[in-house]
Amino acid sequence: MSETFDEATTLKRRTFVAASTAVAGLPLLSSDRLPAAAPAPADRLSTVRLTVNGEQRTAQVDNRTSLLDLLREHLDLPGTKKGCDQGACGACTVLVDDRRVNACLTLAVMHQGARVTTIEGLARGEQLHPLQQAFIDHDGLQCGYCTPGQVMSGVACIAEGHTGSRAEIREWMSGNLCRCGAYTNIVSAIEQTAKEA
């Protein structure tokens, strides 16, 4: 009986897909046939100069470009993740002049001359930052998407001195969401690193 149901369901799905494609009758546009985005007018462009991971970087961007998009799309630093793009998940956390910032919520032009540290700038060559190593030791990641933001926020949490207890760490890390639920291990990694600092 279940076989009959599965065959009928599959047939209906195939029929639906075929029918909807035929009814629409519209060709799919390939990227080379899409209209190009109009470049921003010159009065909306700015040259942004930053020190990113210890290196002087310059980029010309639309004034509306977020720090996150500057890092990912203009400076080829994809380690900082775009999660919610609304400041709610913390996946885009970076350090700006040693303070944690949600890079999706701030404009690149606001940080002229600032020192920005991304996840790519924490390790020293092949040697991981102590908190990166602690995340591995404590299995503080599952899918890994939130991990760069978690690590950057954890580095700031330690530097700010908010590691007096597991409850305090949880409170000061509450702006970083982990959809997989690795919070206990993340707190353990931060706690260990703070004790060894």
Side-chain angles (χ1 to χ4, degrees):
M1 184 131 188
S2 65
E3 289 179 16
T4 306
F5 176 76
D6 288 342
E7 288 172 13
T9 305
T10 304
L11 182 60
K12 288 179 185 174
R13 285 187 192 137
R14 288 185 187 143
T15 305
F16 172 77
V17 171
S20 61
T21 305
V23 169
L26 298 172
L28 296 175
L29 293 176
S30 63
S31 60
D32 60 325
R33 292 177 59 194
L34 292 174
D43 64 338
R44 286 205 330 233
L45 295 176
S46 292
T47 300
V48 179
R49 291 178 182 81
L50 303 164
T51 302
V52 181
N53 300 329
E55 181 183 335
Q56 292 288 329
R57 302 294 298 268
T58 302
Q60 188 172 43
V61 297
D62 185 304
N63 292 333
R64 300 166 295 175
T65 301
S66 68
L67 178 59
L68 174 61
D69 288 338
L70 170 70
L71 294 169
R72 290 180 58 82
E73 297 174 17
H74 296 274
L75 302 182
D76 297 321
L77 294 168
T80 304
K81 301 302 182 207
K82 184 177 278 200
C84 66
D85 214 17
Q86 298 176 349
C89 72
C92 66
T93 305
V94 296
L95 302 180
V96 178
D97 294 328
D98 298 322
R99 294 185 63 201
R100 54 181 141 175
V101 169
N102 285 344
C104 73
L105 289 183
T106 186
L107 298 174
V109 295
M110 296 171 63
H111 299 287
Q112 191 72 256
R115 287 179 297 108
V116 178
T117 305
T118 69
I119 193 70
E120 292 94 342
L122 283 186
R124 296 292 171 242
E126 295 296 314
Q127 183 173 357
L128 295 176
H129 184 279
L131 186 55
Q132 289 173 307
Q133 186 60 54
F135 263 68
I136 294 169
D137 295 344
H138 289 275
D139 202 18
L141 57 129
Q142 287 185 35
C143 81
Y145 196 83
C146 74
T147 305
Q150 296 278 2
V151 170
M152 298 308 295
S153 194
V155 167
C157 185
I158 293 167
E160 294 161 4
H162 298 301
T163 56
S165 68
R166 292 179 68 83
E168 184 179 16
I169 293 170
R170 280 193 297 274
E171 176 68 25
W172 285 90
M173 290 293 293
S174 63
N176 291 79
L177 301 181
C178 173
R179 308 240 185 254
C180 301
Y183 294 114
T184 301
N185 300 351
I186 291 168
V187 171
S188 295
I190 294 169
E191 188 177 43
Q192 173 192 309
T193 306
K195 286 177 181 174
E196 293 174 354

